[in-house]
C-alpha cells in the first residue's frame, strides 16, 4: 500500500493509526490507496506498534457466581463505550494461582481488574505494584496504592444477625466462606461485634465454602447444631442450604430461618424469597471502569469507595417457633 500511495511504510502506519501530522494531501493519498486495495488493518500489529491492546483483564475467583458475573457484565458494557474489551481469567478459588494468572493476563492487556482476589495481602501488594494499571474490587487494604472499590461486609453481616435477633432468635449458625477469602474474615469480625453486644446469643460456625453445592452438603450439619437461624456466607450457599433443608423435611422459615449475602438476581425468586444483604454489583462494574479509564489516560482516578450493603427482608426469615 505504501508503494501505491507513494509514501513510506512508516507514513502509512502513522496515517492508519491516526498519528500523522503532515500534509493533508498525503494522508488522503494513503486513505485512497487503502480503499482501492480494500485494506483491512492488522489489529495485533497495530497493538504492538502503539503499545496498547484496547483490552483489560478481569481476574475473578469463580465466574460461576452470579455476583461476579454482574460485575463483569457491567464492566464490559461500560468499557465498550470507550472502545475497550474485557478478557476474563477465572482462578478457581486458588489463592496460590492468582498471582501467576494475573501476571499472565496482564502481559496480554493494557491493565487488569482484580475482583475479590483471594491472594495473600503480601502477594496483593506485590501484584498491584507490578501489574499497574490495576483496580481492585471487593478488597479493602491500606497497603495497596491502586484504586479500590469494596463492600462493608462487616456491618452487612452484623445487620443480618441483628435482624434475626430482633425476630427472637438466640441460637444462630454461620456458614463460613473460603478460608482465604478476605470478605469472609470481615464477616467473622462483624459477627464478633454482634456477639459482644448480645451476650445472650449462641453463635456456631461451620466451615462450608462459597457455592450452592457447599450449602447443600452442609444442611445436615446445620440441623445438627440445633440453631433456629442460619447466616450463609453468600446467596449461593443459602440457596443450596435451603434445598438441603427441604430434602430433609425442614421448613424454611417455619423450622429454620436462612439469610444470604449479595442479592444475586434469582435470590428474590426462589421459594421462599431470600432475606439477604444487597450489594450494588452493577455499580461496582461502572465505577471500576471509571477509575480504570482515568489510569489508562494517565489521569487521577476518583477516590476509593466503601459501599454499604442494604438489608433486603424477604420470606426466608421469621420468628422462631415458640
Amino acid at each position: 500500500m505504501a508503494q501505491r500511495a507513494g509514501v513510506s511504510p512508516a507514513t502509512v502506519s502513522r496515517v492508519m493509526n491516526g498519528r500523522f501530522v503532515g500534509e493533508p494531501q498525503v494522508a488522503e493519498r494513503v486513505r485512497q490507496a487503502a480503499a482501492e486495495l480494500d485494506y483491512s488493518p492488522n489489529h495485533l500489529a497495530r497493538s504492538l506498534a502503539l503499545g496498547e491492546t484496547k483490552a483489560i483483564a478481569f481476574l475473578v475467583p469463580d465466574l460461576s457466581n452470579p455476583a461476579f458475573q454482574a460485575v463483569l457484565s457491567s464492566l464490559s458494557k461500560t468499557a465498550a463505550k470507550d472502545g475497550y474489551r474485557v478478557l476474563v481469567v477465572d482462578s478457581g478459588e486458588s489463592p496460590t494461582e492468582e498471582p501467576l494468572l494475573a501476571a499472565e493476563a496482564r502481559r496480554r492487556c493494557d491493565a487488569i481488574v482484580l475482583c475479590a482476589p483471594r491472594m495473600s495481602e503480601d502477594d496483593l501488594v506485590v501484584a498491584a505494584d507490578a501489574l499497574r494499571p490495576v483496580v481492585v474490587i471487593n478488597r479493602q487494604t491500606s497497603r495497596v496504592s491502586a484504586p479500590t472499590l469494596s463492600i462493608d461486609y462487616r456491618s452487612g453481616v452484623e445487620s443480618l444477625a441483628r435482624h434475626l435477633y430482633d425476630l427472637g432468635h438466640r441460637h444462630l449458625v454461620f456458614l463460613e466462606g473460603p478460608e482465604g477469602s478476605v470478605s469472609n474474615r470481615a464477616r467473622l469480625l462483624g459477627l464478633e461485634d454482634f456477639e459482644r453486644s448480645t451476650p445472650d446469643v449462641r453463635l456456631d460456625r461451620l466451615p462450608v465454602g462459597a457455592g450452592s453445592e457447599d450449602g447443600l452438603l452442609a444442611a445436615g450439619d446445620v440441623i445438627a447444631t440445633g440453631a433456629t437461624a442460619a447466616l450463609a456466607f453468600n446467596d449461593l450457599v443459602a440457596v443450596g442450604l435451603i434445598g438441603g433443608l427441604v430434602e430433609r423435611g425442614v421448613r424454611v422459615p417455619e423450622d429454620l430461618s436462612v439469610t444470604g449475602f449479595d442479592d444475586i438476581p434469582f435470590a428474590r425468586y426462589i421459594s421462599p424469597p431470600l432475606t439477604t444483604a444487597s450489594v450494588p454489583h452493577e455499580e461496582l462494574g461502572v465505577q471500576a471502569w471509571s477509575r480504570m479509564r482515568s489510569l489508562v489516560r494517565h489521569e487521577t482516578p476518583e477516590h476509593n469507595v466503601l459501599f454499604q450493603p442494604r438489608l433486603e427482608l424477604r420470606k426466608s426469615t421469621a420468628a422462631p417457633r415458640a
Side-chain angles (χ1 to χ4, degrees), residues 73-104:
S73 176
S74 177
L75 173 66
S76 298
K77 292 175 183 176
T78 310
K81 296 176 182 178
D82 289 309
Y84 277 78
R85 297 168 292 116
V86 179
L87 306 183
V88 185
V89 182
D90 188 332
S91 68
E93 291 286 0
S94 175
T96 57
E97 288 292 314
E98 277 191 338
L100 299 175
L101 291 171
E104 181 68 20

Side-chain angles (χ1 to χ4, degrees), residues 7-266:
V7 298
S8 69
T11 298
V12 171
S13 176
R14 285 192 289 270
V15 171
M16 301 312 293
N17 289 328
R19 296 189 173 189
F20 182 70
V21 294
E23 292 294 329
Q25 297 91 333
V26 175
E28 182 57 32
R29 286 208 315 272
V30 171
R31 286 191 284 267
Q32 181 64 33
E36 293 171 355
L37 296 173
D38 195 23
Y39 169 78
S40 178
N42 184 316
H43 292 288
L44 177 59
R46 181 180 186 275
S47 296
L48 293 173
L50 297 178
E52 62 179 21
T53 65
K54 301 295 282 188
I56 63 170
F58 180 78
L59 179 67
V60 65
D62 180 12
L63 193 57
S64 68
N65 188 325
F68 297 142
Q69 292 174 16
V71 177
L72 171 60
S73 176
S74 177
L75 173 66
S76 298
K77 292 175 183 176
T78 310
K81 296 176 182 178
D82 289 309
Y84 277 78
R85 297 168 292 116
V86 179
L87 306 183
V88 185
V89 182
D90 188 332
S91 68
E93 291 286 0
S94 175
T96 57
E97 288 292 314
E98 277 191 338
L100 299 175
L101 291 171
E104 181 68 20
R106 178 62 180 86
R107 281 194 288 271
R108 290 167 166 78
C109 300
D110 298 336
I112 187 167
V113 175
L114 303 176
C115 183
R118 305 299 198 222
M119 67 183 79
S120 70
E121 188 82 353
D122 288 342
D123 284 343
L124 180 61
V125 170
V126 173
D129 183 61
L131 305 179
R132 62 179 66 185
V134 174
V135 172
V136 181
I137 300 178
N138 226 24
R139 179 87 173 250
Q140 188 178 23
T141 172
S142 60
R143 296 178 59 194
V144 172
S145 59
T148 61
L149 301 166
S150 50
I151 310 299
D152 192 349
Y153 291 105
R154 184 170 182 168
S155 69
V157 77
E158 184 178 9
S159 295
L160 287 166
R162 181 70 57 183
H163 161 65
L164 295 171
Y165 182 85
D166 291 343
L167 287 174
H169 295 279
R170 295 298 181 268
H171 185 183
L172 314 179
V173 58
F174 175 55
L175 282 64
E176 296 186 18
E179 184 178 355
S181 168
V182 172
S183 68
N184 184 64
R185 293 200 291 271
R187 287 167 170 83
L188 290 172
L189 290 173
L191 292 174
E192 290 175 7
D193 295 338
F194 171 72
E195 287 182 286
R196 280 192 291 269
S197 65
T198 54
D200 57 332
V201 168
R202 173 183 170 183
L203 178 60
D204 296 325
R205 294 169 175 79
L206 295 175
V208 175
S212 54
E213 188 69 17
D214 299 317
L216 179 69
L217 295 174
D221 292 334
V222 169
I223 295 170
T225 66
T228 61
L231 296 137
F233 170 73
N234 62 17
D235 290 349
L236 287 179
V237 174
V239 169
L241 173 61
I242 291 174
L245 293 173
V246 171
E247 287 180 358
R248 291 166 172 77
V250 177
R251 299 170 299 167
V252 177
E254 292 86 355
D255 301 323
L256 195 147
S257 289
V258 176
T259 68
F261 207 116
D262 279 337
D263 198 20
I264 58 179
F266 57 81

